[in-house]
Amino acid sequence: MRTDSSPGNLPAREHLPAAAAGTPVLDVVIPVYNEEKDLRPCVVRLHEHLERTFPYPFRITIADNASTDTTPQVSQRLEAEIAEVKAFRLEQKGRGRALRTVWSASEAPILAYMDVDLSTDLNALLPLVAPLISGHSDLAIGSRLARSSRVVRGPKREFISRAYNLILRGSLQARFSDAQCGFKAIRRDVAQVLLPLVEDTGWFFDTEMLVLAERAGLRIHEVPVDWVDDPDSTVHIVKTATEDLKGVWRVGKALATGSLSLERLARPFGDDPRDRDIQDVPKGLARQLVGFCVVGALSTLFYLLLYSAFRNFSGSQIANALALLVSAVANTAANRRLTFGVRGSGGAVRHQAQGLVVFGIGLALTSGSLAALNTATASPAHSTELAVLIAANLAATVLRFLLFRAWVFPDRRDADACAHSTVVASHTPSSPTCATARAPQQPGGPYAPLPQRPVAQQPYPSTHDTTRFRAGEAADGTVGVPPLERSREWGRDATMRLQPVRPYDTDPGDSR
């Protein structure tokens, strides 16, 4: 279903495609480890709330990750008693592992999770998932640090939470306000492409997921929540904090080196105004100008320092050429990454070669200015030389930006392969930067309204049998199928196949 726009406005993003009749629209996962006391009250209360307030079919999935008490038996009884409850048993610990495994197996278009203690007020659940159903957002998180949130917890946890988010903002430039709140949701089509990139299997899982999503330009919706601390929480604060800091270092290093392939997530999963063919509106010009000016100012300062250093043992022309050469290489590398968003090592040599051509033009301008100055004055003062060079560099900077934008780092999203394609809201992993052609319409329209929850609920198949498997073992027989092949099935198959666990998923010492 699509919301019509008034004439002259950009079209709205596509509403979530409806699943087959009877398929749950929302799958709420509750990861548990030795929660025999709290599990039943949590599931019963959540089920009553969803029955009363949620207008679509739903499912509650208990993800038991290697519990050693009677939690598996409690899960089985709940599955037998309540049709909308499904139980999974994993033989390895790790909250991130449990979420990734169950989310990968779910056919629901909206995937969510919450902690078993239900510290978050359930009234925030519908506002959490509504932007995902409408197509407005790709992920949604509950925030205890929003200005309008109402939170009751001790000073120790308050300090740790705020300090951790300051670390994320300072080191990973995260802009979301609360990474640790156990109350999040994601669209299934987004999860299929995003989850294979997330390495952590413990408590850092959702932080890493949010950082990657934000860096890729996906839209994260934040919901202020009412939250009451659970004094009986079994979380080991020191150990969890240590693992989180290790994760911050690993992700920060990967982002800095460009080793993360975020290209598949570069465009939001929806109708993006940046993909529209709009006349007389240069794409990304304002942001590129700001980035280029910042890099240019730093490069100019670096150039002047180098020139002053080289001038001590060489003439002005040689000092100018050496300083401009070194600063030009640094300027090209900085603009490549920061201004024009080119990641990875692909094309780096070609970009530097083109940058040296631009350097040659700048050298001609500055050298010509120095030659003119020496012709006019036999022995110009050092301050005069610097003033002339600054003026010449300003002129060269304008020309450098135009050449960088049009020649060195052109916007290749408008390549011939994409020039005649129709922009739609669907997104395929195999085409990260090019808008895809409209998919063939299915009978009854491509985007029918979401199914309403029937009055008489039909029991799900196998409601009395707890599905058991080791983490990463695909019950549907897809072990060994590459993740990218599975991700391409999302538009054709109503049921997502499980993603095999990578080697680092088998660490027996991984904490929950």
Side-chain angles (χ1 to χ4, degrees):
M1 183 174 66
R2 190 186 189 95
T3 303
D4 294 332
S5 301
S6 60
N9 290 346
L10 289 170
R13 297 177 67 177
E14 295 287 353
H15 194 285
L16 183 71
T23 301
V25 171
L26 173 65
D27 192 348
V28 183
V29 180
I30 304 175
V32 293
Y33 174 74
N34 291 348
E35 298 288 355
E36 58 185 1
K37 294 182 179 179
D38 295 335
L39 181 56
R40 172 172 287 277
C42 164
V43 172
V44 171
R45 178 182 166 196
L46 175 60
H47 180 264
E48 291 177 351
H49 177 83
L50 290 172
E51 279 279 353
R52 187 176 66 256
T53 64
F54 196 68
Y56 303 121
F58 63 87
R59 176 185 296 159
I60 301 172
T61 302
I62 304 170
D64 173 23
N65 47 319
S67 293
T68 57
D69 60 1
T70 61
T71 297
Q73 290 73 29
V74 177
S75 301
Q76 292 176 19
R77 288 195 294 269
L78 287 169
E79 184 182 37
E81 296 170 7
I82 305 175
E84 290 83 7
V85 173
K86 189 72 174 176
F88 281 87
R89 167 74 176 179
L90 292 88
E91 301 299 335
Q92 291 175 290
K93 293 173 59 178
R95 183 184 68 168
R97 177 181 288 109
L99 289 176
R100 185 171 61 193
T101 303
V102 177
W103 278 355
S104 298
S106 178
E107 74 277 19
I110 301 298
L111 310 169
Y113 94 90
M114 62 178 58
D115 292 335
V116 69
D117 56 15
L118 292 185
S119 296
T120 304
D121 184 13
L122 293 178
N123 287 328
L125 182 56
L126 186 56
L128 183 80
V129 301
L132 308 187
I133 294 176
S134 70
H136 174 270
S137 302
D138 305 299
L139 299 91
I141 65 174
S143 176
R144 299 163 298 182
L145 302 180
R147 190 176 298 273
S148 56
S149 298
R150 304 184 186 97
V151 178
V152 178
R153 61 176 168 180
K156 181 179 179 180
R157 285 184 174 271
E158 181 76 12
F159 172 78
I160 292 175
S161 180
R162 293 189 178 274
Y164 180 64
N165 282 279
L166 285 176
I167 292 174
L168 292 180
R169 288 176 178 270
S171 59
L172 301 179
Q173 288 78 51
R175 288 177 291 179
F176 47 84
S177 65
D178 192 352
Q180 294 178 311
C181 182
F183 194 69
K184 296 181 176 69
I186 185 172
R187 286 169 57 108
R188 175 174 172 261
D189 53 352
V190 178
Q192 286 182 309
V193 185
L194 180 59
L195 293 185
L197 302 178
V198 181
E199 294 187 10
D200 192 79
T201 59
W203 290 95
F204 188 70
F205 170 85
D206 38 1
T207 299
E208 183 174 357
M209 179 180 67
L210 290 174
V211 170
L212 298 185
E214 187 176 73
R215 286 300 186 95
L218 302 184
R219 180 173 289 166
I220 301 175
H221 177 72
E222 294 197 15
V223 178
V225 298
D226 297 343
W227 195 86
V228 179
D229 191 12
D230 178 15
D232 298 325
S233 175
T234 58
V235 177
H236 301 286
I237 297 178
V238 176
K239 185 176 182 180
T240 301
T242 302
E243 294 298 324
D244 286 345
L245 292 178
K246 291 180 180 179
V248 170
W249 170 258
R250 174 177 54 79
V251 173
K253 181 179 179 181
L255 291 173
T257 58
S259 61
L260 283 171
S261 56
L262 297 178
E263 289 79 9
R264 289 187 295 150
L265 290 168
R267 311 306 292 169
F269 287 67
D271 202 2
D272 188 345
R274 294 171 295 177
D275 289 330
R276 307 301 296 181
D277 186 14
I278 305 173
Q279 300 296 326
D280 303 324
V281 181
K283 296 181 179 179
L285 179 60
R287 182 189 61 79
Q288 290 178 357
L289 275 174
V290 173
F292 186 82
C293 289
V294 173
V295 173
L298 296 176
S299 299
T300 301
L301 179 60
F302 183 48
Y303 161 80
L304 294 176
L305 293 176
L306 290 175
Y307 177 81
S308 298
F310 293 148
R311 192 66 175 84
N312 292 328
F313 56 84
S314 63
S316 60
Q317 293 288 2
I318 296 178
N320 173 63
L322 290 175
L324 196 58
L325 175 61
V326 176
S327 61
V329 172
N331 181 277
T332 300
N335 276 305
R336 181 179 186 271
R337 176 67 180 85
L338 302 177
T339 303
F340 298 97
V342 180
R343 300 181 176 89
S345 58
V349 176
R350 175 175 58 84
H351 292 154
Q352 284 292 350
Q354 292 172 312
L356 289 178
V357 175
V358 178
F359 151 76
I361 298 175
L363 178 62
L365 285 174
T366 54
S367 298
S369 301
L370 284 176
L373 177 63
N374 291 327
T375 301
T377 304
S379 299
H382 183 64
S383 58
T384 304
E385 286 184 348
L386 291 180
V388 170
L389 288 174
I390 290 174
N393 269 284
L394 288 176
T397 297
V398 176
L399 182 60
R400 185 183 303 118
F401 176 75
L402 296 177
L403 289 175
F404 272 178
R405 180 175 171 83
W407 179 47
V408 183
F409 307 109
D411 188 354
R412 301 190 182 279
R413 289 175 300 199
D414 297 327
D416 293 340
C418 303
H420 303 290
S421 62
T422 303
V423 178
V424 295
S426 59
H427 176 93
T428 56
S430 60
S431 180
T433 58
C434 173
T436 58
R438 183 176 298 275
Q441 292 193 3
Q442 303 296 327
Y447 302 114
L450 288 170
Q452 296 292 325
R453 178 159 52 86
V455 177
Q457 291 287 342
Q458 298 296 326
Y460 290 100
S462 303
T463 57
H464 298 283
D465 294 327
T466 302
T467 302
R468 300 173 61 88
F469 52 86
R470 291 185 61 84
E473 291 184 350
D476 55 2
T478 60
V479 174
V481 179
L484 284 178
E485 292 297 324
R486 283 193 305 278
S487 66
R488 295 191 182 103
E489 297 294 326
W490 71 273
R492 302 189 295 269
D493 189 356
T495 302
M496 177 191 282
R497 304 174 186 272
L498 284 180
Q499 167 191 329
V501 172
R502 296 180 288 269
Y504 48 71
D505 285 348
T506 60
D507 179 11
D510 181 36
S511 61
R512 169 175 167 266

